Amino acid sequence: MSAEQSGITDGIRLLFQRPNEPLFTVKDNGKTVFELPSNFYTERYETIGASLSTRIGEDVEKTIHLRPIQQLNLDFTKSIQLRGSFSLFIKSHQVIAGELIKIFLDSSEEDFISTAAFIKDRVNPYLFLYSLATAVQHRNDTQNLSLPSIVQQFPDQFVDSSVFPRAREEGSLVPAESRIPIEIKMNFTASDREPEQRLAYFREDIGVNMHHWHWHLVYPGEGPLNVVNKDRRGELFYYMHSQLVARYNNERFCNHLESVKPLNNFRERIKEGYFPKIVRSLNNRAYPARPDNAQLQDLHRDDDNTEIADLERWRDRIHQAIDQGYVVEQGTNQHIPLDETNGINILGNVLEASAISPNRQLYGNLHNLGHNVIAYVHDPDGTHLEDYGVMADVTTAMRDPVFYRWHAFINSICVKFKNTLRSYQPNELLFEGVAVNSVDVQITTQSKSTIPNLLLTYWQKSDVDLGAGLDFGPGNVYAQFTHLQHAPFEYRINITNDASVPKQGTCRIFLIPKFDERGEALRFREQRSFAVEMDKFVINLNPGANEIRRRSEQSSVTIPYERSFRRIGSEYQPKNGEELAQFQFCGCGWPQHMLLPKGTPAGTKYDIFVMVSSYEHDRVDQVLDSGVLCNDSFSFCGLRNKKYPDARPMGYPFDKNSQFNNLDIGSLTEFTEHLTNATLGECSIRFTDAVIDRV
Amino acid sequence: MSAEQSGITDGIRLLFQRPNEPLFTVKDNGKTVFELPSNFYTERYETIGASLSTRIGEDVEKTIHLRPIQQLNLDFTKSIQLRGSFSLFIKSHQVIAGELIKIFLDSSEEDFISTAAFIKDRVNPYLFLYSLATAVQHRNDTQNLSLPSIVQQFPDQFVDSSVFPRAREEGSLVPAESRIPIEIKMNFTASDREPEQRLAYFREDIGVNMHHWHWHLVYPGEGPLNVVNKDRRGELFYYMHSQLVARYNNERFCNHLESVKPLNNFRERIKEGYFPKIVRSLNNRAYPARPDNAQLQDLHRDDDNTEIADLERWRDRIHQAIDQGYVVEQGTNQHIPLDETNGINILGNVLEASAISPNRQLYGNLHNLGHNVIAYVHDPDGTHLEDYGVMADVTTAMRDPVFYRWHAFINSICVKFKNTLRSYQPNELLFEGVAVNSVDVQITTQSKSTIPNLLLTYWQKSDVDLGAGLDFGPGNVYAQFTHLQHAPFEYRINITNDASVPKQGTCRIFLIPKFDERGEALRFREQRSFAVEMDKFVINLNPGANEIRRRSEQSSVTIPYERSFRRIGSEYQPKNGEELAQFQFCGCGWPQHMLLPKGTPAGTKYDIFVMVSSYEHDRVDQVLDSGVLCNDSFSFCGLRNKKYPDARPMGYPFDKNSQFNNLDIGSLTEFTEHLTNATLGECSIRFTDAVIDRV
């Protein structure tokens, strides 16, 4: 029985609306209300409950009756305050979420909505929605349910806090039909005196941060084993974050900044301060700032005791494991080789460290606790009763310049490991009989310049609904923010199949910077590390010449613009169906509007590397259900509940060295020359510093 | 024509309600509305204005018609953002406020409300209310107008920001008659791991911070000369702040902390961090925190360029002036002696520095810019677009431990000056024929212990209305906070007048600690600096024995509890008249509930020093209008538009040394023995760590 048939859809969807308002308040802009069994009211509303719901529900069109269930004992959640914070980086929070997920998973189909509804007002809203969303994903009767995006639920985590009072004024005084969106200024966190501010459009992009939240929702480090132990999750942890760093470095070059410096010395002051200026609407507390030149300190907090020396020991032991070629398994003390096949996946799990790390006693919890040590730098022992900074929250961590320094460090360990592997040999790279002759990119918008191999970027405005951030507020009020955008384009790839029969290949497209921030040519080793995956797709090659056209919107890296944002000028109050279609739950994926680096007004030159490998060697045998949603961004996110659909190492062919004739490759050109099945194109990305409307 | 007669009262009063909501919204909980000339609407509401006010004003009982006035050019206010901050410590803000005050003062009686109403939504609300309040105080037709207190207007500046979302829930869901106040926890800014946190009940007391705001409203450092140049304002600046420091030090001893260390080395890190956890509701931005061990930096901001070296130069030049005995007048280069009569007043103006400082070029702006340098320590050059911390805002500065370190430093300069003056001689201290024989204190509450000379302190809860902090919110919602309180008591003083005729005297009462935080006996020099003025009043002495009884509530230092707070259990929606009576504008004065130091559970011993001086030498000749409100807290605040009503140096007889027979006094006992017109009592203050209801 599907979710639609069982009637679960509507109930669950409403539980995701306005998470800070109690269950008995009207939902769907006043149209729907839950009818609650009396034991569902929380203590404050117990005695006045019935009168409240009657009073408020006067204009409702629809009532959802909740099946009575027994009182549930939720004492185990009490250490996460109702209006406090919830972080996947805090161990005790993870454990509580795990128990809650189990309750949701174990609930019968009949009782599921009632169970969720009973729990809703009794636990922290972030905890509730994270756990419920995870369960919805993993229950058979709900896994295709569409739910509103995180930014719809907690807009306060994504935008400048100062818009909310303005939005409340607009919403309170102006009738819905006359409301205009509140403008969110760019560059609200720092002035241009701060060089790092040049990257704010990237770090503070709503879509970028939504992606990061969703990724960690799909790949939790803790929880039931079947939730954590996904195919190649450790490798994907490495690869997705390594691509984030690569993309960030490309943006830095466009902004005349050197590539990000790995934070590998934990005793050195962090020169980049960050003042997030976002306020959690649940408790009206600002995310704490980190001043310039902060010095990491040992953590001595109730929920986290980590010494800097712990991080150093874990770092050094992981280095040792790489240099020795194996990790030691907890309990058995067996040596698990860090080999070609599984090494990077094991290393990813060790680094993060997820529940499937082979030895958390020995290798510790480097990535997570590094996030925490940084996030608590302003109050390492809790003396000042301050919560964590943005770095300990997956919805906000990518806003902070130090995120990229930390992940550059984590990535450097993975790169070190990859360098211990033997180089790719010709037979692992070539695709006999297939020649990729050329690649060009071309803007597809009629009204834009159509000079070949010239891509265009500019600013665009989009709207996001702040309604849920305005508790007990005036319904939908939109904020308008400015983000990077590019003119849609397509790749035109000419390929010859010398065979007389059709062949299947995997086409891989990378964008690779030619020059660093000073205009110096990059070496191949550097280019490999800065190569940005743009797309990956299976193609059918007919005998003879083939022209492959592939649109930028089809990218296997990105999710469509419409999945996150409302277009300006669209209906202000989407009908339920529309809302469902637009705001899919499956928000994991790089935002389409950030597909290209910003470029420069004069144009920044890139190599476009296209390689077609034999699908024979890439294929992963599994049954794919074409009806399943959100398989459009598998490069970073995989496929839901399936194996990663590419058998090659992630990042192939740039994840490690290559050799021809036992000689290392010296340049990208040389590399491509060796490969008949690959080609290099050149394009320029030209940035226009103006807001251009979406057509 | 009085304000009541002219009808100004109601209009102006309503302009102080819910300062963040536009003029056209209903006031008085929906009962009153302004009828606006069309040019009064701001740009956003111009076109939809008429419909809005009609729509919103359906249930109003009363309409106030505003006289049309011409458009006013308010461009001069533009540098203070509509939803930004406003600080009396920032020079450009002071200048803008000065111009606005002038507009309000120059406005005719007929146009005053309209002028204020036109301006209201066009300038920053803090700027508007400060300027309007100042004008209201100084206009003949409004100076006795009663206006709501600052905490009614901007509750967000005074309480833990996390109460507002809870209050919005309560107000939105619960009918007014069933609402319960939101509890504000004590000790929300730090844990007890931070020793300074022991003083949070003092620093974060709502009444204490209200007093500080009002004091600076009554004694602005900038503005029209007739507003700034009040009688002995420089001396009162010294004395009021010196008493704040003395009171703070007494509280520190009770909490086993040493007296506050003056911040006289601007190059030394400030070890006391402060994380205010309050959020400005106007723009939803938190007051920035100062981490532990912050290092003061040169300011390079648009509105303030101050080097640490500037502060050092000013400090050293002021020291030089004291050591040379004169200040140099700007322009004339004349020497103005720092003498007995005017020295401390001049020095106070030099230090602050107010507009009547004799030479701001030479002696700079030490006090104000010290506040600013500290307040911007997290972002000294504005790189991070951060606003000032609590130290640059008179509503919030006293929350921060560093406030007391800064004022201990400022005070140390005044003490140094006082030590250059010749000591008091017997003829300046004695009162021939009057003998003060004894003083006892006695609790007056029937239900309390009535052991003589035992005073009791405890916690008490009070309510404050958060309504104005919930823009477009649900009306009155109260927060309940816990503050120090004491059982009311009275002084019983036995005095003999040896003359055969009645005499008038000034009775001065000080509370003086006997021991420091370690239990070491304090020396006389120290006791002088820690002496806390409790009361000062004129008495008539009949020939022979007199028993003077004086109640603690009558203190010349304090304002009544009811002027600031609502008693728990009183009506939730005060009628207009009650509101007016309760929340007088004249909120300057130490809060009555903080009259006594906290004491300790075992009891802390104090000396009570009572001295009666001859009123002949104290009297200030002026006509006092007994109908004028708020003359009950003149010790710290003076009398409105009158001379300070005590001719003696403020702090007399403890402001400087005393000599008898050309010998310095060695102890408080010895001092009192020399003075027949003074006596020492001893009392103990016993603290009970429990909340006790007000009876």
Side-chain angles (χ1 to χ4, degrees), chain B residues 1 23 57 68 73 86 93 113 142 144 164 169 178 217 260 262 286 293 306 349 376-377 406 484 507 612 631 644 651:
Chain B
M1 193 160 63
L23 196 61
N73 183 347
F86 167 72
H93 289 199
I113 298 180
T142 56
N144 287 335
F164 291 97
E169 174 170 338
S178 309
L217 186 74
V260 68
N293 300 310
T306 305
N349 286 323
Y376 283 126
V377 68
W406 183 246
L484 192 64
C507 183
V612 177
N631 284 345
Y644 193 82

Side-chain angles (χ1 to χ4, degrees), chain B residues 331-343:
Chain B
T332 67
N333 288 325
Q334 283 194 318
H335 293 185
I336 308 174
L338 292 175
D339 61 13
E340 200 73 34
T341 321
N342 297 314

Side-chain angles (χ1 to χ4, degrees), chain B residues 186 198-211 243-244 246-252 254-255 398 404 456-460 462 481-489 491 511 532-534 552-553 555 557-562 564-565 589-599 606 636 685 687 694:
Chain B
M186 298 195 79
R198 299 180 205 159
L199 275 301
Y201 69 89
F202 182 95
R203 290 185 278 103
E204 293 164 3
D205 183 83
I206 295 177
V208 164
N209 284 285
M210 283 175 67
H211 162 68
Q243 280 288 299
L244 296 184
R247 286 183 165 270
Y248 190 64
N249 279 326
N250 274 287
E251 300 289 347
R252 292 181 72 86
C254 296
N255 288 284
M398 287 187 72
Y404 306 89
L456 300 179
T457 60
Y458 45 86
W459 301 123
Q460 188 177 86
S462 291
F481 61 97
T482 308
H483 56 84
L484 192 64
Q485 185 56 287
H486 55 271
F489 60 93
Y491 308 93
L511 188 76
V532 164
E533 180 176 335
M534 297 296 280
S552 53
E553 300 95 313
S555 168
V557 175
T558 62
I559 56 172
Y561 179 86
E562 288 75 12
S564 316
F565 307 121
W590 192 247
Q592 172 64 218
H593 64 269
M594 298 297 282
L595 178 65
L596 286 181
K598 187 183 175 192
Y606 290 88
F636 282 6
I685 302 180
F687 170 68
R694 195 170 169 87

